[in-house]
Amino acid sequence: MTKVKMCGLYRDEDIQAANLVHPDYIGFVFYKKSHRNVDIDTAFRLKSKLDTSIKAVGVFVNEDISFIKELVDKKIIDMIQLHGNEDEAYISKLRNIIDNPDVQIIKAAIIKSEDDFAKYPDLIKKSISESSSVPDCVNNINADYYLLDSGMGSGSSFNWDLIIDTNKPIFLAGGLDCENISEALKKVKPYAVDVSSGIETDKVKDLEKMKSFMNLVKTAEN
């Protein structure tokens, strides 16, 4: 089954709901400009209440690597999602400092046109990445997964027809909800889907929407 990540959990009630519906991943947003932002103490408390079979992903935007390492060392997060301008050098340094192959990295790729894929040559198939459309100045990011999105917390989807053959497993994000998830799964066939505002009511996680979303993912693949 396609894996599910429910992002932007910041209340005890969100964790309780996640434990009931049981996504594969939940996301803690460590970005002060987001209304879903959590501090380290809150994240520590929430992680302690999370079902141990659910992985916690830390979401960062151009964050200081030492802070990410602290969260990993304290076992507050199990995976890392980078949503800023992090490049090959940043990710290489991050891997070296954390020095734990079990902590995988998801790199967000903002897709607004097909040309945007050229910025991430290790994401696309070799035959495409060797084409003249890929700039020589672009370095391989070498993430474990890519998250295709329309923008940081935009709440809107992008044209899924833009998605070309990928060389890495992808998380599909951007405006997913109970109305379009079945179509998204059929058209894109991603490794995982990432939902946040689509399972909220008035910017708060909604248990009934979370249940419906999970059921739709399961139903779409039966």
Side-chain angles (χ1 to χ4, degrees):
M1 189 182 90
T2 303
K3 297 186 181 298
V4 175
K5 173 172 172 268
M6 294 185 168
C7 199
L9 279 63
Y10 62 91
R11 307 176 308 147
D12 291 72
E13 295 91 336
D14 299 340
I15 298 297
Q16 293 167 10
N19 288 340
L20 285 173
V21 302
H22 214 279
D24 301 277
Y25 312 94
I26 61 95
F28 293 138
V29 177
F30 297 94
Y31 182 54
K32 292 180 180 178
K33 292 184 180 180
S34 170
H35 73 271
R36 304 181 183 98
N37 176 64
V38 293
D39 58 31
I40 191 168
D41 293 332
T42 301
F44 183 85
R45 186 186 78 250
L46 296 178
K47 178 62 183 299
S48 71
K49 298 180 178 183
L50 182 68
D51 187 312
T52 56
S53 64
I54 302 173
K55 290 189 175 182
V57 181
V59 181
F60 306 95
V61 179
N62 304 322
E63 184 57 75
D64 189 294
I65 288 176
S66 63
F67 178 63
I68 300 177
K69 176 176 168 54
E70 180 181 3
L71 292 167
V72 171
D73 289 346
K74 292 183 176 179
K75 302 188 183 304
I76 295 172
I77 60 172
D78 307 298
M79 294 176 68
I80 298 164
Q81 179 177 320
L82 303 174
H83 229 291
N85 301 316
E86 302 88 359
D87 58 10
E88 180 183 20
Y90 179 101
I91 292 178
S92 178
K93 183 178 179 180
L94 179 62
R95 288 192 189 279
N96 288 336
I97 288 177
I98 290 177
D99 193 26
N100 184 344
D102 293 331
V103 179
Q104 295 180 303
I105 296 173
I106 306 166
K107 179 68 180 85
I110 306 305
I111 305 299
K112 296 185 182 296
S113 72
E114 190 171 335
D115 292 341
D116 288 330
F117 279 94
K119 301 172 185 175
Y120 311 97
D122 64 321
L123 165 62
I124 55 183
K125 292 287 187 183
K126 188 175 182 180
S127 60
I128 301 173
S129 65
E130 290 178 346
S131 73
S132 59
S133 63
V134 178
D136 292 336
C137 61
V138 176
N139 293 321
N140 286 334
I141 298 297
N142 195 28
D144 297 295
Y145 305 93
Y146 274 88
L147 181 143
L148 306 187
D149 200 354
S150 55
M152 176 69 174
S154 68
S156 60
S157 60
F158 61 95
N159 182 3
W160 300 322
D161 290 330
L162 294 173
I163 298 176
I164 55 182
D165 289 336
T166 59
N167 196 37
K168 298 236 176 154
I170 64 167
F171 284 65
L172 180 66
L176 295 178
D177 56 29
C178 294
E179 300 299 320
N180 63 16
I181 184 59
S182 298
E183 180 187 356
L185 292 171
K186 182 178 180 180
K187 183 170 283 191
V188 181
K189 296 180 175 60
Y191 168 79
V193 290
D194 188 319
V195 62
S196 186
S197 61
I199 50 170
E200 293 179 347
T201 299
D202 297 329
K203 295 187 176 182
V204 174
K205 292 294 182 285
D206 184 318
L207 175 58
E208 294 307 312
K209 288 184 179 180
M210 294 168 76
K211 288 179 179 177
S212 295
F213 192 90
M214 287 297 298
N215 287 335
L216 286 164
V217 173
K218 293 176 182 177
T219 301
E221 301 185 349
N222 290 336

